Amino acid sequence: MDAATGRARTTAFADAGPPRPRLFRLANVIGLISLIRREAMREIRWFGMVIVGPAIQAVLFASVFTLAAGDALTVDGLDFIQFLAAGLVASAAMQRAFETTGYSIMFDKLESGGMQDILGSPLSPLEILVSYLVTAVTAAVAVGAMIGVVMMPFGFDLPDNPVAAFLFLCLAAGIFSMAGLVNAIFSPKWDSFAGKETFLTLPIIFLSGTFFPISAVPEGAWRAVFQANPIYYLVDGFRWAATGRSETDPLIGAGIGLAVFAVLLAIAARLLATGYKLKS
């Protein structure tokens, strides 16, 4: 290249001015997909804990309850293993969704320092939230499907209404993914996160009709407490979709679930937008 050509190119670059920032119209699609891929790869690396562990746990639950209850036990005319399997699928999916977002936030906040990079990336708080939500719901549905498969030898059948079952599972997973994110933001260390999960989240899941019908609880204060648990309506709605039997109106359950999800989504979005306890 001769001197004249070089001077011409230099002049052209100077005339172009400084590089302009990249503009995103509706969404930063590339950044959104990249963050989803990052979180998904993290779940894949934890495959043994994410998929295999809950499947083994479900088999143990089913084996113990089958041996204890026998084949003759029914719940409102429904074979007990069908009743139990639907609850196991829903509970495993909800727990996985909670841990997916919670563990990811806790690790990036306390261990890797990656939370600062995420908050400083060209992604809006809503895009970050959607990335965590999509990953958690996908992992939860995968776990739920695996539980359903391993329960088939015990007598669990394919859902009567697969579309409704999928939607109820996604809604329940969405609620717990946001709950896990909020828990992680408010937890200053791992012990705090684990304490909230053990003494708050797990009781809410296990006392939502997962292993027993609410109709078996005597009338009175205890039944009112169980019925005040919004997760009960989601589990019952999923059980209706899976087996055709329910104790409540599935539409009411879906409405309650959507209301709870909207509240948690708004809280999580606000916390991410302000960087509360994340920017320090």
Side-chain angles (χ1 to χ4, degrees):
M1 180 178 66
D2 57 20
T5 303
R7 286 194 298 271
R9 289 189 177 181
T10 302
T11 303
F13 285 127
D15 293 340
R20 290 177 294 179
R22 184 178 179 183
L23 298 178
F24 302 104
R25 288 181 169 82
L26 296 178
N28 182 356
V29 178
I30 296 177
L32 185 67
I33 294 175
S34 298
L35 186 54
I36 292 174
R37 181 180 178 184
R38 172 185 182 270
E39 295 301 311
M41 292 303 297
R42 177 175 287 175
E43 290 294 296
I44 292 173
R45 287 197 297 270
W46 294 344
F47 177 81
M49 182 182 72
V50 172
I51 301 292
V52 179
I56 295 175
Q57 186 180 47
V59 170
L60 293 176
F61 268 121
S63 300
V64 170
F65 278 101
T66 300
L67 290 174
D71 297 331
L73 184 62
T74 60
V75 178
D76 295 331
L78 180 66
D79 186 69
F80 179 72
I81 196 63
Q82 295 281 346
F83 179 91
L84 175 66
L88 289 175
V89 170
S91 64
M94 292 186 290
Q95 189 172 352
R96 183 65 247 154
F98 182 89
E99 293 175 347
T100 296
T101 54
Y103 287 178
S104 182
I105 294 288
M106 290 298 293
F107 183 81
D108 287 338
K109 184 172 74 169
L110 300 179
E111 307 294 340
S112 69
M115 203 68 236
Q116 301 298 323
D117 295 332
I118 293 175
L119 294 177
S121 65
L123 289 168
S124 69
L126 182 59
E127 289 168 343
I128 296 174
L129 194 62
V130 169
S131 300
Y132 284 122
L133 178 63
V134 169
T135 306
V137 171
T138 301
V141 171
V143 169
M146 178 61 71
I147 302 300
V149 169
V150 300
M151 292 298 293
M152 284 182 177
F154 293 91
F156 183 60
D157 297 327
L158 293 174
D160 286 0
N161 191 331
V163 175
F166 175 76
L167 293 177
F168 268 106
L169 206 61
C170 287
L171 181 56
I175 289 173
F176 277 85
S177 67
M178 294 298 97
L181 187 147
V182 172
N183 181 19
I185 290 176
F186 279 102
S187 298
K189 53 185 179 179
W190 284 103
D191 290 346
S192 177
F193 179 88
K196 295 184 185 72
E197 181 180 13
T198 301
F199 297 109
L200 182 61
T201 305
L202 292 181
I204 288 175
I205 293 176
F206 289 144
L207 298 179
S208 61
T210 302
F211 303 110
F212 58 89
I214 300 299
S215 58
V217 180
E219 291 280 358
W222 275 114
R223 181 180 289 194
V225 169
F226 288 127
Q227 291 176 331
N229 181 0
I231 307 307
Y232 157 66
Y233 299 93
L234 290 175
V235 173
D236 195 58
F238 176 77
R239 184 173 283 119
W240 163 79
T243 66
R245 302 292 183 88
S246 67
E247 296 180 305
T248 61
D249 187 342
L251 291 178
I252 294 177
I256 293 174
L258 287 171
V260 174
F261 175 68
V263 170
L264 288 174
L265 185 69
I267 294 173
R270 179 61 180 169
L271 292 173
L272 283 177
T274 59
Y276 181 74
K277 291 192 174 183
L278 293 174
K279 291 184 177 180
S280 57

